[in-house]
Amino acid sequence: MNTMSYSNKYIYSTLPRTQRGQPIVLGGDPKGKNFLYTNGNSVIIRNIENPAISDIYTEHSCAVNVAKYSPSGFYIASGDQSGKIRIWDTVNKEHILKNEFHPIGGPIKDISWSPDNQRMVVVGEGRERFGHVFMSETGTSVGEISGQSKPINSCDFRPSRPFRIVTGSEDNTVGVFEGPPFKFKMTKQEHSRFVQAVRYSPNGNLFASAGFDGKVFLYDGTNADLISEMGSPAHKGGVYGVAWSADSTRLLTSSGDKTCKLWDVETKSVVSEFVIGNQVEDQQVSCLWQGNYLLTVSLNGFITYLDVNNPEKPIRTIKGHNKPITVLALSPDRSTIYTGSHDGNIVNWSIENGENDRVKGVGHGNQINGMKLDNDYLYTCGIDDSLRQVDVKSNSYTDLQVKLNAQPRGMDFNSNVLVTATIKEIIILKNEKKVFNLPVDYEPSAVAINPDASFIAVGGALDNKVHVYKFNDSTNALEYAADCDHLGPITDCSFSPDGEYLVASDANRKVILYKVPEFNLAHKQDWGFHNARVNSVAWSPNSKQVASGSLDTTIIVWSVTSPNKHTIIKNAHPQSQITRVLWLDDETIVSVGQDCNTKIWNVTPI
């Protein structure tokens, strides 16, 4: 029964998924508003001026590698690991599918539309062929991509007549095709390693090729004669991407040597060099030039907006996650959320505008399983079996590192008591020092502490019980108080802000509410509307509502005062389980998921 309405307010999108040694392809919007990239099953459509505004297309059934706007701007074509191309509408919120084709039998690596929107070339790693040209309306073949002996990484359609197609292959050649119907004309053999990018200038007079040999070549757009090399070589590392200015006079290149360069095409000279950083993760794996914006993507997924007038300092860098998010926390003043991912990275986000930054310093290095804030510090525990501390002001890890004897599964913090549960014991800390530990045999999976720190609840993964302990503040000892039985492993538990209730969720799809301090059922109503394991439960600040997030991709909001009423936010994270939820205020929920996205929802009582 639905008692509220809801709407999605913001999506703080995942960054592009990157892999070492693999270029990625960004798509640009002919209208200049958005840009495109992919992560997992998702195509991310991101506003170039305000990257906090984004939209996500999730209709591919496997990982999608590349997405490109049609020259008209009305359609996007996206290609996936299985060799499928989906062509869908950009105008409607639902992104109605126009066509689906299966041109090659393996991962698609690049797509290019003809300037009249009629034809399309796709390339990649097929079983029988490495590319195909077809009509975008019907899928009818209009030529073949042959003549190269290894997977093709890049392709481009000449934007003016006579039409040409160029391709860049792992056999170190550039393929040239004339048509329609398109036939193999020749290969260009200037490169000595994989060719990673080929792109025509917007006026069609030239095309550029870039390869892992660090070289960039310019060719005549019509007859494909070599005109010259840019630099000697252009970069000290492989070149992953090239992008042209709209007036065809300048070229941007991005490289594994952690730099981007801006070239004057006529003089073949470097106008400016952008040094992005000096770490492996600063390798540049893609670039896009759209209107006044020059974008480049680092191996860590960060998207940097380059400033032509000041190569030293980028205009902005979009940070975030590109691995599944496992933990979520809120600052006490409710202005900032912190998210932590599977690879150990933590990002803080301003609620107001989505501006974000990554926490600096050496953290856990792998999955974070618990995270909690007080005013000055953020505490985290991870599967490196340690508890760490982040100084909120400097946004960096402190030297504090508390070794835990086993893998932590959860953590909570209150007044001056920090409790963490590892798979072997419950540990109480005060002032960052261990003051008590209790060995247990039920493999804790979650932990919660009530507002006045008089009770601690610990979920059991092996015995399907919530174990409640009384906490004695003067002796720091835990005494058994109650057991709450569930029909599946406990996944999360939380005390209400007013201290009246405890809520717990389990792998048997249930959310169960208990009255404090008796720890008996608060009402007979069964909160069992999820279709799969519930991963997370959270209280609204007024203690009147509980939100739960599940493996079934939905969020459900439950009413404590009217237990038979609830609101289901269906497909909150399509094709992705929801890992954590929390409330910003009594009408706003934050959710994070396996899809690496953070979403903010308005929920309003009807």
Side-chain angles (χ1 to χ4, degrees), residues 129-191:
R129 53 187 176 192
F130 302 121
H132 193 46
V133 200
F134 54 92
M135 299 301 282
S136 59
E137 287 283 338
T138 59
T140 315
S141 174
V142 279
E144 57 177 51
I145 299 297
S146 58
Q148 287 167 303
S149 57
K150 290 201 171 134
I152 299 176
N153 295 323
S154 183
C155 63
D156 205 20
F157 233 109
R158 184 163 183 244
S160 52
R161 293 179 186 274
F163 286 158
R164 301 279 182 271
I165 288 172
V166 285
T167 57
S169 165
E170 292 186 3
D171 68 2
N172 308 346
T173 68
V174 173
V176 181
F177 302 82
E178 293 182 349
F182 289 90
K183 290 192 179 55
F184 173 70
K185 179 76 189 283
M186 64 179 110
T187 53
K188 306 298 291 182
Q189 308 196 345
E190 277 72 24
H191 287 281

Side-chain angles (χ1 to χ4, degrees), residues 439-459:
V440 292
D441 58 5
Y442 50 78
E443 199 174 296
S445 54
V447 62
I449 186 164
N450 74 333
D452 65 6
S454 57
F455 287 110
I456 288 172
V458 182

Side-chain angles (χ1 to χ4, degrees), residues 358-380:
R358 194 172 271 189
V359 169
K360 298 183 262 303
V362 180
H364 295 280
N366 54 22
Q367 184 165 322
I368 302 170
N369 280 351
M371 187 161 72
K372 209 71 186 180
L373 276 142
D374 72 1
N375 286 320
D376 302 317
Y377 295 107
L378 171 74
Y379 294 95
T380 63

Side-chain angles (χ1 to χ4, degrees), residues 122 179 391 426 581:
V122 304
D391 181 329
I426 303 161
V581 289

Side-chain angles (χ1 to χ4, degrees), residues 234-344:
H235 284 274
K236 294 189 193 72
V239 185
Y240 285 76
V242 297
W244 289 85
S245 62
D247 63 5
S248 303
T249 63
R250 290 178 296 168
L251 188 69
L252 177 67
T253 56
S254 42
S255 164
D257 68 8
K258 314 176 188 68
T259 71
C260 295
K261 288 183 182 175
L262 185 57
W263 303 83
D264 181 296
V265 172
E266 200 171 322
T267 62
K268 320 286 182 282
S269 58
V270 177
V271 180
S272 25
E273 181 175 8
F274 307 86
V275 178
I276 305 294
N278 53 19
Q279 305 293 311
V280 169
E281 68 220 34
D282 298 316
Q283 293 185 357
Q284 297 306 296
V285 296
S286 188
C287 59
L288 177 71
W289 192 323
Q290 183 161 303
N292 303 324
Y293 295 100
L294 285 76
L295 270 52
T296 178
V297 179
S298 305
L299 182 57
N300 58 9
F302 289 2
I303 303 166
T304 303
Y305 286 56
L306 302 173
D307 187 344
V308 180
N309 304 317
N310 181 5
E312 309 302 307
K313 192 175 181 296
I315 294 167
R316 60 148 46 116
T317 302
I318 304 177
K319 300 178 183 179
H321 298 283
N322 59 6
K323 301 285 188 313
I325 299 173
T326 54
V327 284
L328 176 62
L330 181 61
S331 63
D333 67 1
R334 301 185 174 265
S335 69
T336 311
I337 47 176
Y338 284 79
T339 51
S341 56
H342 190 59
D343 53 7

Side-chain angles (χ1 to χ4, degrees), residues 77 91 127 137 175 200 361 432 468 520 527 595:
V91 187
R127 282 186 293 276
E137 287 283 338
Y200 275 98
E432 288 98 41
V468 184
N520 47 21
W527 285 353
D595 59 4

